[in-house]
Amino acid sequence: MNNILQLKGQFHKRRNTQSFGPVNLPKDAKVSAKHVNELRKQLEGVKKYWESTPVIKGALVSAHYQRIVPKSNRLQFLLGEKGKHPNDAIRGAKFVDELSAGNHMRKKHVFTYFVSLDTLQKTINYLEKCEEVIKRFYNNEISDIDTENMNKGQYDDSIMKKNPFLKTVVDVFFVERFQIDRAPKEAKESSIVTIYKTGVETIELLSKLGIEMINAKMINETTLRLDKGEIEILHNNAPYLIAMQVRDFSKVVIDDLEQTEEENTITIDSPQSEPTVGVIDTQFDERVYFHEWVEYHRKVDDIIELGSEDYFHGTSVSSIIVDGPRFNPKLEDGCGRFKVRHFGVATAGGFSSFTILKLIRDIVASNRDIKVWNLSLGSAMEINPNFISPEAAELDRIQCEYDVIFVVAGTNRGPKNSESIKIGAPADSLNSIVVNSVDFDGKPASYTRIGPVLSFFYKPDICYYGGDKSERITVCEPLGMAKVCGTSFAAPWITRKMAYLIHIVGLSREVAKALIIDSAAGWNRQDGIKYSMGYGIVPKNIQDIIHSTDDEIRFIMNGTIDEYETYTYNIPVPQDMNAYPFFAKATLAYFPSCDRDQGVDYTSTEMDLHFGRIMEKNGKATIKAIDYNKQAEEGIQKIYEEYARKLYRKWDNVKHISEALKDNARPRKVYGSGMWGISIKTKERLLPRAGRGLQFGLVITLKEMNGINRIDEFIKLCMLKGWLVTSIDIQNQIDVYSKAEEEIEFE
């Protein structure tokens, strides 16, 4: 087997030099005076409502678009506050499924804006003038040809100046209608509610409605816990304020347990310098044989009386992380043992999302030495297609702020659920690694739940062996050994692997996550329309993750985003008879900041990956991407947002691109420079340059078509081109880690 290589060298940076051209309607587009008139009347109705309902200092208005739109096709002019872009007024985003003009169901974007009444009136005035111009000068309908002629000087500005008119027409084209959206009545019990940001403080706003708040109920400035009576008041008096709502008390789906056996006498050595993993779960029983390896902290209120059932789940999870391979020899992973710092935050019966949200941040902030956290608690309720759960959003924020990673169980379907159901919170966390379960035949387990998240994001990320009724996982519980199955017992095996990669091998969390996903995908990725297995099953043994086969060259790279484009055009791939005899694949992972208030447009930063051969086109060097990605290429017709997301995973924080293995494949043509290149183009949803300084991890694999080992040739070529090449020798890494953990005694 070949060692993985680490390439270090200079990535080049480039600012975005592309400038926006003149404002025009899209090709073949038309806007009618009738449509402008309809939008104006809708906004007049919205304004009249808010003038008679002065609960907030302004107006909430939802713009329903014709399709899923990119940032550039959102409102660019209408609803813009003085001196600000309309994007600054967005308070939420969601998808709705509606009939299109061709009578087909189509997913469409809906954005909710908060603006002043003056801005609303100003927008109405623009629409009124725009309608008059179209009626008088364009026979009730304006086309893309007309807007092109305007930019050539053919325009009568007696009614409306050219620039605001063109911007109004383009905005009108993409918007289907304006209206006030109201949240449907859902939960009738305690709920976690997020209200739209308006010009009034949340406590003051709710007190106007008769809901007295105390700070203890607040999660952040707009998210809070309300009881049944308060929910009723809010729905009856101001349903337009509710951006998101989920029930607070989540029932834990208990994993399937088989009869418990008497524990044989088992001993274990005392812990030494092994890495420590964090576990957030139900309680831990300190009577088990491996108790010396676990530092236990009870985090439920002392007034809660704990029963024996409250210790089963948490103790079982920690037993796998500490010593799982001992009683599951088929799952021997070569990772050794790990110490655990176990935080008991829940009981077997369920948990309050509000309480968990408060606890997790404090736990992580107080234990900064822990880099990998296992969270095998999950809700029985399905995720919402239009917003991230509060628990997942908090995990995503924590991972951005504290440079940690969570491994999260994909949640289980209960025995009474015969139909396929969506995963439950917090398995919708995008920055976490979400793990589903397969049986020992490699098929989705009988209790499997599915993604996607927000109608788009691939979740789960991967899957692993969690047992099923035919063959289960063995764990240690308070009463002895037990046979179990569930995603709760698949996730800890991945936690072990992540801890090994980060602590022992010394990889960044970005590279470690990319490597786990890349190893699961292999050359036959499993992600697809079923959303049950993620990218595939992670190999059992860590050696199969940190090595590649003899006919493969696998190398990793780290980097930081400082400008619009981060690139290198200097990767020398070995040639044979002036051709590249390789298949290629690449996996990119990063941890973007996320904004739950943005609904379906949740991730704030997009990294657009291009990887392939360098060729010359129109006098410029360009990358011929292995997945034919042409996003952001100059001179290329724009790709619809809907297809960019589907084909190139736009806005997803994991990018995996791969060529298919073919028996009759021919070696790839060598272009002029004889080099391959990587380009990562970065886009921001909200604030420009907000994602600067963001780290990324990249794993690239080249597979020789004829089974020849060309890794030595690749190393020499890379060194010739100035790359610092390090072969990751695991024994050497173990020695380095052990030496670093030694306690030095000074005489």
Side-chain angles (χ1 to χ4, degrees), residues 359-380:
L359 282 173
I360 291 179
R361 175 172 288 275
D362 292 342
I363 288 170
V364 174
S366 303
N367 295 271
R368 298 297 302 275
D369 58 315
I370 296 178
K371 295 298 182 184
V372 183
W373 292 86
N374 188 96
L375 185 56
S376 286
L377 296 176
S379 171

Side-chain angles (χ1 to χ4, degrees), residues 139-158:
N139 195 27
N140 291 312
E141 188 175 73
I142 189 168
S143 69
D144 61 311
I145 297 173
D146 295 322
T147 59
E148 287 178 7
N149 290 334
M150 282 182 214
N151 284 306
K152 295 175 183 176
Q154 301 175 27
Y155 178 70
D156 186 327
D157 64 358
S158 57

Side-chain angles (χ1 to χ4, degrees), residues 391-411:
E391 301 97 317
E394 184 67 356
L395 292 187
D396 288 336
R397 278 194 296 271
I398 289 170
Q399 287 171 102
C400 277
E401 295 171 23
Y402 290 102
D403 188 31
V404 298
I405 186 165
F406 277 85
V407 180
V408 177
T411 63

Side-chain angles (χ1 to χ4, degrees), residues 570-630:
N570 198 35
I571 297 177
V573 175
Q575 300 176 20
D576 181 40
M577 298 181 67
N578 202 33
Y580 299 117
F582 290 98
F583 300 103
K585 64 172 180 165
T587 304
L588 172 77
Y590 60 102
F591 290 71
S593 62
C594 303
D595 188 349
R596 187 170 182 259
D597 291 339
Q598 292 294 311
V600 293
D601 286 1
Y602 178 61
T603 52
S604 300
T605 302
E606 154 70 359
M607 291 191 192
D608 177 19
L609 174 64
H610 298 247
F611 167 62
R613 293 168 288 165
I614 300 296
M615 60 182 295
E616 185 179 326
K617 187 176 181 181
N618 299 325
K620 296 181 179 180
T622 186
I623 293 175
K624 187 172 184 178
I626 63 172
D627 62 340
Y628 306 103
N629 186 358
K630 297 185 182 299

Side-chain angles (χ1 to χ4, degrees), residues 176-243:
E176 198 168 72
R177 65 183 185 276
F178 291 113
Q179 66 183 47
I180 300 172
D181 286 346
R182 293 169 172 81
K185 274 197 175 183
E186 291 179 353
K188 295 182 179 178
E189 58 234 55
S190 296
S191 296
I192 303 291
V193 175
T194 300
I195 65 172
Y196 290 117
K197 290 180 182 177
T198 63
V200 183
E201 291 289 332
T202 299
I203 294 176
E204 178 187 346
L205 180 58
L206 294 181
S207 66
K208 287 183 179 181
L209 301 172
I211 302 173
E212 293 305 321
M213 293 298 301
I214 55 174
N215 287 330
K217 285 187 171 185
M218 303 291 293
I219 294 171
N220 56 42
E221 58 180 329
T222 59
T223 302
L224 54 141
R225 181 182 183 273
L226 298 178
D227 62 29
K228 179 180 177 181
E230 293 165 336
I231 287 287
E232 194 74 21
I233 293 172
L234 187 58
H235 270 292
N236 290 339
N237 295 287
Y240 47 76
L241 286 177
I242 302 173

Side-chain angles (χ1 to χ4, degrees), residues 89-114:
I90 292 176
R91 295 295 181 266
K94 62 184 178 184
F95 292 138
V96 294
D97 291 312
E98 294 181 344
L99 288 175
S100 63
N103 216 27
H104 299 294
M105 290 301 294
R106 186 172 198 169
K107 204 170 287 295
K108 301 178 181 181
H109 245 136
V110 178
F111 291 93
T112 298
Y113 297 80
F114 175 71

